[in-house]
Amino acid sequence: MDCIFCKIIEGSIPSTKVFENERVLAFKDIQPAAPVHILIIPKKHIPTMNDVKDEDADLIAELFAAARQIAKEQGIADAGYRLINNVNSDGGQVVYHLHIHLLGGQKLSTLLAN
Ligand code: 5GP
Ligand code: ZN
């Protein structure tokens, strides 16, 4: 499949992983927009939030559970952070494999998307 994030999951494109379990992977964004900028993705290829099914509810909860754990590990949980999911063209989505941006490590004052 011609999907950058599926290739990162397979390992054919390298990444700096910060979290992994059976269903979820998280790695550093290649073009960080903040001191901490991590992408949290399901290993299942879901193109956008619009494609999430009711049966994916547990998987979506796991993405957020990973976000909480990573924020703690990165030492930014108490100071705060932002979770962003861009959807389709107007939302600024560039990679069509569902992902949550975890941004932090500085005061995020604007509508920082990525
Ligand atoms: P989107 O705009 O789709 O929400 O965000 C896609 C994000 O993926 C961007 O922040 C971009 O920097 C990141 N990205 C794109 N290609 C790669 C890659 O090959 N490796 C990593 N680590 N991040 C990538
Ligand atoms: Zn994919």
Side-chain angles (χ1 to χ4, degrees):
M1 189 183 297
D2 197 23
C3 168
I4 294 175
F5 289 176
C6 282
K7 287 178 182 161
I8 284 176
I9 292 161
E10 286 168 14
S12 59
I13 291 179
S15 69
T16 306
K17 293 177 187 175
V18 298
F19 175 95
E20 182 165 20
N21 69 20
E22 226 174 277
R23 289 165 298 276
V24 175
L25 177 67
F27 52 90
K28 292 188 178 174
D29 196 291
I30 204 168
Q31 258 192 297
V36 176
H37 189 172
I38 289 162
L39 301 172
I40 303 161
I41 70 172
K43 289 187 174 176
K44 175 182 176 183
H45 180 84
I46 301 173
T48 83
M49 187 59 76
N50 289 338
D51 303 300
V52 170
K53 311 281 186 233
D54 288 348
E55 71 213 36
D56 297 318
D58 289 351
L59 180 57
I60 300 304
E62 281 194 58
L63 298 179
F64 283 93
R68 288 197 301 275
Q69 183 180 321
I70 295 162
K72 240 185 230 168
E73 286 168 359
Q74 297 284 322
I76 60 170
D78 290 342
Y81 54 94
R82 186 172 294 165
L83 300 175
I84 294 174
N85 171 236
N86 297 324
V87 183
N88 281 342
S89 176
D90 279 5
Q93 186 170 5
V94 173
V95 177
Y96 281 79
H97 180 128
L98 186 68
H99 53 281
I100 298 173
H101 296 256
L102 167 58
L103 292 151
Q106 70 177 40
K107 186 101 180 153
L108 302 168
S109 56
T110 63
L111 273 176
L112 184 59
N114 71 49

